Coordinates of all heavy atoms in Angstrom, one line a residue:
M1 N -20.2 -4.0 -6.1 CA -19.0 -4.2 -6.9 C -18.5 -2.9 -7.4 O -19.2 -2.1 -8.0 CB -19.2 -5.2 -8.0 CG -19.7 -6.6 -7.6 SD -18.3 -7.5 -6.9 CE -17.4 -7.9 -8.3
K2 N -17.2 -2.7 -7.3 CA -16.6 -1.5 -7.8 C -15.7 -1.8 -9.0 O -15.0 -2.8 -9.0 CB -15.8 -0.8 -6.7 CG -16.7 -0.1 -5.6 CD -15.8 0.7 -4.7 CE -16.7 1.4 -3.7 NZ -17.5 2.5 -4.4
S3 N -15.7 -0.9 -9.9 CA -14.8 -1.1 -11.1 C -13.5 -0.6 -10.7 O -13.3 0.1 -9.7 CB -15.3 -0.4 -12.3 OG -15.1 1.0 -12.1
E4 N -12.5 -1.0 -11.4 CA -11.1 -0.5 -11.1 C -11.0 1.0 -11.2 O -10.1 1.5 -10.5 CB -10.1 -1.1 -12.1 CG -9.7 -2.6 -11.8 CD -8.6 -3.1 -12.7 OE1 -7.7 -2.2 -13.0 OE2 -8.6 -4.2 -13.0
Q5 N -11.8 1.6 -11.9 CA -11.7 3.1 -12.1 C -12.1 3.8 -10.8 O -11.8 4.9 -10.6 CB -12.5 3.5 -13.3 CG -11.9 3.1 -14.6 CD -12.7 3.6 -15.8 OE1 -13.9 3.8 -15.7 NE2 -12.0 3.8 -16.9
D6 N -12.8 3.1 -9.9 CA -13.2 3.7 -8.7 C -12.1 3.7 -7.7 O -12.1 4.4 -6.7 CB -14.4 2.9 -8.1 CG -15.7 3.2 -8.9 OD1 -15.8 4.2 -9.5 OD2 -16.5 2.3 -8.9
Y7 N -11.0 3.0 -8.0 CA -9.9 3.0 -7.0 C -8.9 4.0 -7.4 O -8.6 4.2 -8.6 CB -9.2 1.6 -7.1 CG -10.0 0.5 -6.4 CD1 -10.8 -0.3 -7.1 CD2 -9.9 0.3 -5.0 CE1 -11.6 -1.3 -6.5 CE2 -10.6 -0.7 -4.4 CZ -11.4 -1.5 -5.1 OH -12.2 -2.4 -4.5
R8 N -8.4 4.7 -6.4 CA -7.3 5.6 -6.6 C -6.0 4.9 -6.2 O -6.0 4.1 -5.3 CB -7.5 6.9 -5.8 CG -8.5 7.8 -6.4 CD -8.9 8.9 -5.4 NE -9.9 8.2 -4.5 CZ -10.3 8.8 -3.4 NH1 -9.8 9.9 -3.0 NH2 -11.2 8.2 -2.7
V9 N -5.0 5.1 -6.9 CA -3.7 4.4 -6.6 C -2.7 5.4 -6.0 O -2.5 6.5 -6.5 CB -3.1 3.8 -7.9 CG1 -1.7 3.2 -7.7 CG2 -4.1 2.8 -8.5
R10 N -2.1 5.0 -4.9 CA -1.0 5.6 -4.3 C 0.2 4.7 -4.5 O 0.1 3.5 -4.7 CB -1.2 5.8 -2.8 CG -2.4 6.7 -2.5 CD -2.1 8.1 -3.0 NE -3.2 9.1 -2.5 CZ -4.3 9.3 -3.2 NH1 -4.5 8.8 -4.4 NH2 -5.2 10.2 -2.7
E11 N 1.4 5.3 -4.5 CA 2.6 4.5 -4.8 C 3.8 4.9 -4.0 O 3.9 6.1 -3.6 CB 2.9 4.5 -6.3 CG 3.0 5.9 -6.9 CD 3.0 5.9 -8.4 OE1 2.2 5.2 -9.0 OE2 3.8 6.6 -9.0
C12 N 4.7 4.0 -3.8 CA 5.9 4.4 -3.0 C 6.9 5.1 -3.9 O 6.7 5.0 -5.2 CB 6.5 3.1 -2.4 SG 7.5 2.1 -3.5
V13 N 7.8 5.8 -3.3 CA 8.7 6.7 -4.1 C 9.6 5.9 -5.1 O 10.1 6.4 -6.0 CB 9.6 7.5 -3.2 CG1 8.7 8.5 -2.4 CG2 10.4 6.6 -2.2
H14 N 9.7 4.6 -4.8 CA 10.7 3.8 -5.6 C 10.1 3.4 -7.0 O 10.9 3.0 -7.8 CB 11.0 2.5 -4.8 CG 11.5 2.8 -3.4 ND1 10.8 2.5 -2.3 CD2 12.6 3.5 -3.0 CE1 11.5 2.9 -1.2 NE2 12.6 3.5 -1.7
R15 N 8.8 3.6 -7.2 CA 8.2 3.3 -8.5 C 8.8 4.1 -9.6 O 9.1 3.7 -10.7 CB 6.7 3.4 -8.5 CG 6.1 2.9 -9.7 CD 4.6 2.9 -9.7 NE 4.0 2.0 -10.7 CZ 2.7 1.8 -10.8 NH1 1.9 2.4 -10.0 NH2 2.3 1.0 -11.8
A16 N 9.1 5.4 -9.2 CA 9.6 6.3 -10.2 C 11.1 5.9 -10.6 O 11.6 6.4 -11.6 CB 9.6 7.7 -9.6
E17 N 11.7 5.1 -9.7 CA 13.1 4.7 -10.0 C 13.1 3.4 -10.8 O 14.1 2.8 -11.0 CB 13.8 4.5 -8.7 CG 13.9 5.8 -7.9 CD 14.4 5.5 -6.4 OE1 14.7 4.4 -6.1 OE2 14.4 6.5 -5.6
G18 N 11.9 2.9 -11.1 CA 11.8 1.7 -11.9 C 11.9 0.4 -11.1 O 12.1 -0.7 -11.7
A19 N 11.6 0.4 -9.8 CA 11.6 -0.8 -9.0 C 10.5 -1.7 -9.4 O 9.4 -1.2 -9.8 CB 11.5 -0.4 -7.5
A20 N 10.7 -3.0 -9.1 CA 9.6 -4.0 -9.3 C 8.7 -4.0 -8.1 O 9.2 -3.9 -7.0 CB 10.2 -5.3 -9.6
G21 N 7.4 -4.2 -8.4 CA 6.5 -4.2 -7.2 C 5.1 -4.5 -7.7 O 4.9 -4.9 -8.8
E22 N 4.1 -4.4 -6.8 CA 2.8 -4.7 -7.2 C 1.8 -3.9 -6.3 O 2.2 -3.3 -5.4 CB 2.5 -6.2 -7.2 CG 2.9 -6.9 -5.9 CD 2.9 -8.4 -6.1 OE1 1.8 -8.9 -6.3 OE2 3.9 -9.1 -6.1
L23 N 0.5 -4.0 -6.7 CA -0.6 -3.3 -6.0 C -1.1 -4.1 -4.8 O -1.2 -5.3 -4.9 CB -1.7 -3.1 -7.0 CG -1.5 -1.9 -8.0 CD1 -2.6 -2.0 -9.0 CD2 -1.5 -0.6 -7.3
Y24 N -1.4 -3.4 -3.8 CA -2.0 -4.0 -2.6 C -3.2 -3.2 -2.2 O -3.3 -2.0 -2.6 CB -1.0 -4.0 -1.4 CG 0.2 -4.8 -1.7 CD1 1.3 -4.2 -2.3 CD2 0.3 -6.1 -1.4 CE1 2.5 -4.9 -2.6 CE2 1.4 -6.9 -1.7 CZ 2.5 -6.3 -2.3 OH 3.7 -7.0 -2.5
R25 N -4.1 -3.8 -1.5 CA -5.3 -3.1 -1.1 C -4.9 -2.1 0.0 O -4.1 -2.3 0.8 CB -6.3 -4.1 -0.5 CG -6.7 -5.2 -1.4 CD -7.5 -6.3 -0.7 NE -8.9 -5.8 -0.5 CZ -9.9 -6.0 -1.4 NH1 -9.6 -6.5 -2.6 NH2 -11.1 -5.6 -1.1
G26 N -5.6 -0.9 -0.1 CA -5.3 0.1 0.8 C -5.6 -0.3 2.3 O -4.9 0.1 3.2
T27 N -6.6 -1.1 2.4 CA -7.0 -1.6 3.8 C -5.9 -2.5 4.4 O -5.6 -2.4 5.5 CB -8.3 -2.3 3.8 OG1 -8.3 -3.3 2.7 CG2 -9.5 -1.4 3.6
A28 N -5.3 -3.3 3.5 CA -4.2 -4.2 4.0 C -3.0 -3.4 4.3 O -2.3 -3.6 5.4 CB -3.9 -5.2 2.9
Y29 N -2.7 -2.4 3.5 CA -1.6 -1.5 3.8 C -1.7 -0.8 5.1 O -0.8 -0.8 5.9 CB -1.5 -0.5 2.6 CG -0.6 0.7 2.9 CD1 0.8 0.6 2.8 CD2 -1.1 1.9 3.2 CE1 1.6 1.7 3.0 CE2 -0.3 3.0 3.5 CZ 1.1 2.9 3.4 OH 1.9 4.0 3.6
V30 N -2.9 -0.2 5.4 CA -3.1 0.5 6.6 C -3.1 -0.4 7.8 O -2.5 -0.1 8.8 CB -4.5 1.2 6.6 CG1 -4.9 1.7 8.0 CG2 -4.5 2.4 5.6
S31 N -3.6 -1.6 7.7 CA -3.6 -2.5 8.9 C -2.2 -3.0 9.2 O -1.9 -3.1 10.4 CB -4.6 -3.7 8.7 OG -4.1 -4.6 7.8
Q32 N -1.4 -3.2 8.1 CA 0.0 -3.6 8.4 C 0.8 -2.4 9.0 O 1.6 -2.6 9.8 CB 0.7 -4.1 7.1 CG 0.2 -5.4 6.6 CD 0.3 -6.5 7.7 OE1 -0.7 -6.9 8.3 NE2 1.5 -6.9 8.0
L33 N 0.5 -1.2 8.5 CA 1.1 0.0 9.0 C 0.9 0.1 10.5 O 1.8 0.5 11.3 CB 0.6 1.2 8.2 CG 1.5 2.4 8.1 CD1 2.9 2.1 7.5 CD2 0.8 3.4 7.2
Q34 N -0.3 -0.2 10.9 CA -0.7 0.0 12.3 C -0.1 -1.0 13.2 O 0.0 -0.9 14.4 CB -2.2 -0.1 12.4 CG -2.9 1.1 11.9 CD -4.4 1.0 11.8 OE1 -5.0 -0.1 11.5 NE2 -5.1 2.1 12.2
R35 N 0.4 -2.1 12.6 CA 1.1 -3.2 13.4 C 2.6 -2.9 13.6 O 3.2 -3.5 14.5 CB 1.0 -4.5 12.7 CG -0.4 -5.1 12.8 CD -0.5 -6.4 12.1 NE -1.9 -6.7 11.7 CZ -2.4 -7.7 11.1 NH1 -1.5 -8.6 10.6 NH2 -3.6 -7.8 10.8
L36 N 3.1 -2.0 12.9 CA 4.5 -1.6 13.0 C 4.8 -0.7 14.2 O 3.9 0.0 14.6 CB 5.0 -0.9 11.8 CG 5.2 -1.7 10.5 CD1 5.6 -0.8 9.4 CD2 6.1 -2.9 10.6
P37 N 6.0 -0.8 14.8 CA 6.3 0.2 15.8 C 6.2 1.6 15.2 O 6.4 1.8 14.0 CB 7.8 -0.1 16.1 CG 8.0 -1.5 15.7 CD 7.0 -1.7 14.5
S38 N 5.9 2.6 16.0 CA 5.5 3.9 15.4 C 6.6 4.5 14.6 O 6.3 5.1 13.6 CB 5.1 4.9 16.5 OG 6.1 5.0 17.5
D39 N 7.9 4.3 15.0 CA 9.0 4.9 14.2 C 9.1 4.2 12.8 O 9.3 4.9 11.8 CB 10.3 4.9 15.0 CG 10.7 3.5 15.3 OD1 9.8 2.6 15.5 OD2 11.9 3.3 15.5
A40 N 8.9 2.9 12.8 CA 9.0 2.2 11.6 C 7.8 2.5 10.7 O 7.9 2.6 9.5 CB 9.0 0.7 11.8
A41 N 6.6 2.7 11.3 CA 5.4 3.1 10.6 C 5.5 4.4 9.9 O 5.2 4.6 8.8 CB 4.2 3.1 11.5
L42 N 6.1 5.4 10.7 CA 6.3 6.7 10.1 C 7.3 6.7 8.9 O 7.1 7.3 7.9 CB 6.9 7.7 11.2 CG 5.9 8.2 12.2 CD1 6.6 9.0 13.3 CD2 4.9 9.1 11.5
R43 N 8.3 5.9 9.1 CA 9.3 5.7 8.0 C 8.7 5.1 6.7 O 8.9 5.6 5.6 CB 10.5 4.8 8.4 CG 11.7 5.6 8.7 CD 13.0 4.7 8.7 NE 12.8 3.3 9.1 CZ 12.9 2.8 10.3 NH1 13.1 3.6 11.3 NH2 12.7 1.5 10.5
A44 N 7.9 4.1 6.9 CA 7.2 3.4 5.8 C 6.2 4.3 5.2 O 6.1 4.4 4.0 CB 6.6 2.1 6.3
A45 N 5.4 5.0 6.0 CA 4.4 5.9 5.5 C 4.9 7.1 4.7 O 4.3 7.5 3.7 CB 3.5 6.4 6.6
A46 N 6.1 7.5 5.1 CA 6.7 8.6 4.4 C 7.1 8.3 3.0 O 7.3 9.2 2.2 CB 8.0 9.1 5.2
R47 N 7.2 7.1 2.6 CA 7.6 6.7 1.3 C 6.4 6.6 0.3 O 6.6 6.3 -0.9 CB 8.3 5.3 1.3 CG 9.6 5.4 2.1 CD 10.5 4.2 1.8 NE 11.4 3.9 2.8 CZ 11.3 2.9 3.7 NH1 10.3 2.1 3.6 NH2 12.1 2.8 4.7
V48 N 5.2 6.7 0.9 CA 4.0 6.5 0.0 C 3.2 7.8 0.0 O 3.1 8.5 1.0 CB 3.2 5.3 0.6 CG1 1.9 5.2 -0.2 CG2 3.9 4.0 0.5
T49 N 2.7 8.1 -1.1 CA 1.8 9.3 -1.2 C 0.7 9.2 -0.1 O 0.0 8.2 0.0 CB 1.1 9.3 -2.6 OG1 2.0 8.9 -3.6 CG2 0.7 10.7 -2.9
P50 N 0.6 10.2 0.7 CA -0.3 10.2 1.8 C -1.8 10.1 1.3 O -2.1 10.7 0.3 CB -0.1 11.5 2.6 CG 1.1 12.1 2.0 CD 1.3 11.5 0.6
F51 N -2.6 9.5 2.2 CA -4.1 9.5 1.9 C -4.8 9.3 3.3 O -4.2 8.9 4.2 CB -4.5 8.4 0.9 CG -4.2 7.0 1.4 CD1 -5.1 6.3 2.2 CD2 -3.0 6.4 1.0 CE1 -4.9 5.0 2.6 CE2 -2.7 5.1 1.4 CZ -3.7 4.4 2.2
F52 N -6.0 9.7 3.3 CA -6.8 9.5 4.6 C -7.1 8.1 4.7 O -7.6 7.4 3.8 CB -8.1 10.3 4.5 CG -7.9 11.8 4.6 CD1 -8.2 12.6 3.5 CD2 -7.4 12.4 5.7 CE1 -8.0 14.0 3.5 CE2 -7.2 13.8 5.8 CZ -7.5 14.6 4.7
W53 N -6.8 7.6 5.9 CA -7.0 6.1 6.2 C -8.5 5.8 6.1 O -8.8 4.6 5.7 CB -6.5 5.8 7.6 CG -5.0 5.7 7.6 CD1 -4.1 6.1 6.6 CD2 -4.1 5.3 8.6 NE1 -2.8 5.9 6.9 CE2 -2.8 5.4 8.2 CE3 -4.4 4.8 9.9 CZ2 -1.7 5.0 9.0 CZ3 -3.3 4.4 10.7 CH2 -2.0 4.5 10.3
A54 N -9.3 6.7 6.3 CA -10.8 6.5 6.1 C -11.1 6.1 4.7 O -12.1 5.5 4.4 CB -11.6 7.7 6.6
D55 N -10.3 6.5 3.7 CA -10.5 6.3 2.3 C -9.8 5.0 1.8 O -9.9 4.6 0.7 CB -9.9 7.4 1.5 CG -10.7 8.7 1.7 OD1 -11.8 8.6 2.1 OD2 -10.1 9.8 1.4
A56 N -9.2 4.2 2.8 CA -8.4 3.1 2.4 C -9.1 2.1 1.5 O -8.5 1.4 0.7 CB -7.8 2.4 3.6
A57 N -10.4 1.9 1.8 CA -11.2 0.9 1.0 C -11.3 1.3 -0.4 O -11.6 0.4 -1.3 CB -12.6 0.8 1.7
H58 N -11.0 2.5 -0.8 CA -11.2 3.0 -2.2 C -9.8 3.2 -2.8 O -9.7 3.8 -3.9 CB -12.0 4.3 -2.2 CG -13.3 4.2 -1.5 ND1 -14.3 3.4 -2.0 CD2 -13.7 4.7 -0.3 CE1 -15.3 3.5 -1.1 NE2 -15.0 4.3 -0.1
I59 N -8.8 2.7 -2.1 CA -7.4 3.0 -2.6 C -6.6 1.8 -2.7 O -6.7 0.8 -1.9 CB -6.7 4.0 -1.6 CG1 -7.3 5.4 -1.8 CG2 -5.2 4.0 -1.8 CD1 -6.9 6.4 -0.8
N60 N -5.8 1.7 -3.8 CA -4.8 0.6 -3.9 C -3.5 1.3 -3.8 O -3.2 2.4 -4.2 CB -4.9 0.0 -5.3 CG -6.1 -1.0 -5.4 OD1 -6.4 -1.6 -4.4 ND2 -6.6 -1.2 -6.6
V61 N -2.6 0.6 -3.1 CA -1.2 1.1 -2.9 C -0.2 0.2 -3.6 O -0.2 -1.0 -3.5 CB -0.9 1.1 -1.4 CG1 0.5 1.6 -1.1 CG2 -1.9 1.9 -0.6
W62 N 0.5 0.9 -4.5 CA 1.6 0.2 -5.2 C 2.9 0.2 -4.4 O 3.3 1.3 -4.0 CB 1.9 0.9 -6.6 CG 2.8 0.1 -7.4 CD1 2.5 -0.7 -8.5 CD2 4.2 0.1 -7.4 NE1 3.6 -1.3 -9.0 CE2 4.7 -0.8 -8.4 CE3 5.2 0.7 -6.6 CZ2 6.1 -1.0 -8.6 CZ3 6.5 0.5 -6.8 CH2 7.0 -0.4 -7.8
L63 N 3.4 -0.9 -4.1 CA 4.7 -1.0 -3.3 C 5.7 -1.8 -4.0 O 5.4 -2.8 -4.5 CB 4.4 -1.6 -1.9 CG 3.5 -0.8 -1.0 CD1 3.1 -1.6 0.2 CD2 4.1 0.5 -0.5
C64 N 7.0 -1.3 -3.9 CA 8.0 -2.1 -4.4 C 8.3 -3.3 -3.5 O 7.7 -3.3 -2.4 CB 9.3 -1.3 -4.6 SG 10.1 -0.8 -3.1
R65 N 9.1 -4.2 -3.9 CA 9.3 -5.4 -3.0 C 9.8 -5.1 -1.7 O 9.5 -5.6 -0.6 CB 10.2 -6.4 -3.7 CG 9.4 -7.1 -4.8 CD 10.3 -8.0 -5.6 NE 9.7 -8.5 -6.9 CZ 10.4 -8.9 -7.9 NH1 11.7 -9.0 -7.9 NH2 9.7 -9.3 -9.0
D66 N 10.8 -4.1 -1.6 CA 11.4 -3.8 -0.4 C 10.4 -3.2 0.6 O 10.4 -3.5 1.8 CB 12.6 -2.8 -0.6 CG 13.8 -3.5 -1.2 OD1 13.8 -4.7 -1.2 OD2 14.7 -2.8 -1.7
C67 N 9.6 -2.3 0.1 CA 8.6 -1.7 1.0 C 7.6 -2.7 1.4 O 7.1 -2.7 2.6 CB 7.9 -0.5 0.2 SG 8.9 0.9 0.0
A68 N 7.2 -3.6 0.5 CA 6.2 -4.6 0.9 C 6.7 -5.5 2.0 O 6.0 -5.9 2.9 CB 5.8 -5.4 -0.4
V69 N 8.0 -5.9 1.8 CA 8.6 -6.8 2.9 C 8.7 -6.0 4.2 O 8.4 -6.6 5.2 CB 10.1 -7.2 2.4 CG1 10.8 -7.8 3.6 CG2 10.0 -8.2 1.3
E70 N 9.0 -4.8 4.2 CA 9.1 -4.0 5.4 C 7.7 -3.9 6.1 O 7.6 -4.0 7.3 CB 9.7 -2.6 5.1 CG 9.9 -1.8 6.4 CD 10.8 -0.6 6.2 OE1 11.6 -0.6 5.2 OE2 10.7 0.3 7.0
L71 N 6.7 -3.9 5.3 CA 5.3 -3.8 5.8 C 4.8 -5.2 6.0 O 3.6 -5.4 6.5 CB 4.4 -3.0 4.9 CG 4.6 -1.5 5.0 CD1 4.0 -0.8 3.8 CD2 3.8 -1.0 6.2
R72 N 5.6 -6.2 5.7 CA 5.1 -7.6 5.8 C 3.8 -7.8 5.0 O 2.9 -8.5 5.4 CB 4.9 -8.0 7.2 CG 6.2 -7.9 8.0 CD 6.0 -8.6 9.4 NE 7.3 -8.4 10.1 CZ 7.4 -7.4 11.0 NH1 6.4 -6.6 11.2 NH2 8.5 -7.3 11.7
L73 N 3.8 -7.2 3.8 CA 2.6 -7.3 2.9 C 2.9 -8.3 1.8 O 3.7 -8.1 0.9 CB 2.3 -6.0 2.2 CG 1.3 -5.1 2.9 CD1 1.2 -3.7 2.3 CD2 -0.1 -5.7 2.9
R74 N 2.4 -9.5 2.0 CA 2.7 -10.6 1.0 C 1.5 -10.9 0.2 O 1.5 -11.5 -0.8 CB 3.1 -11.8 1.8 CG 4.4 -11.6 2.6 CD 5.6 -11.9 1.8 NE 6.8 -11.5 2.5 CZ 7.4 -12.2 3.4 NH1 7.0 -13.3 3.8 NH2 8.5 -11.7 4.0
E75 N 0.3 -10.4 0.7 CA -1.0 -10.8 0.1 C -1.1 -10.0 -1.2 O -1.1 -8.8 -1.2 CB -2.1 -10.4 1.1 CG -3.5 -10.8 0.5 CD -4.6 -10.3 1.4 OE1 -4.3 -9.5 2.3 OE2 -5.7 -10.7 1.2
R76 N -1.2 -10.7 -2.3 CA -1.4 -10.0 -3.6 C -2.8 -9.5 -3.7 O -3.7 -10.2 -3.3 CB -1.0 -11.0 -4.7 CG 0.4 -11.3 -4.7 CD 0.6 -12.5 -5.7 NE 0.1 -12.2 -7.0 CZ 0.8 -11.8 -8.0 NH1 2.1 -11.7 -7.8 NH2 0.3 -11.6 -9.2
E77 N -2.9 -8.4 -4.4 CA -4.3 -7.9 -4.7 C -5.2 -8.9 -5.4 O -6.3 -9.1 -5.0 CB -4.1 -6.6 -5.6 CG -5.4 -6.1 -6.2 CD -6.3 -5.6 -5.1 OE1 -5.9 -5.3 -4.0 OE2 -7.5 -5.5 -5.4
S78 N -4.6 -9.7 -6.3 CA -5.4 -10.6 -7.1 C -5.9 -11.7 -6.2 O -7.0 -12.3 -6.4 CB -4.6 -11.2 -8.2 OG -3.4 -11.7 -7.7
D79 N -5.1 -12.1 -5.1 CA -5.6 -13.1 -4.2 C -6.6 -12.6 -3.2 O -7.4 -13.4 -2.7 CB -4.4 -13.7 -3.4 CG -3.3 -14.3 -4.3 OD1 -3.7 -14.7 -5.4 OD2 -2.2 -14.4 -3.9
A80 N -6.6 -11.4 -2.9 CA -7.5 -10.8 -1.9 C -8.8 -10.5 -2.5 O -9.8 -10.4 -1.8 CB -6.9 -9.5 -1.4
A81 N -8.9 -10.4 -3.8 CA -10.2 -10.0 -4.4 C -11.2 -11.1 -4.3 O -10.9 -12.2 -4.2 CB -10.0 -9.6 -5.9
Ligands
ZN101 ZN1 9.3 1.2 -2.3

């Protein structure tokens, strides 16, 4: 079991603009990213602070609703735990 402090958080650029959103598991983010066409994946990835995909299990990604919809990420962190 890992405490929350073991997780590092990456976030999309819209958080700084005050957008509403929530945290998702890094692994879910990466797997959804890999399902997108490469051009869409590059666009989506460019909005989030980069990290090594190998570290995804230790990372939470904060996404605004628009970014989450584009990545088809509906699974809430609280439901996945
Ligand atoms: Zn966003």
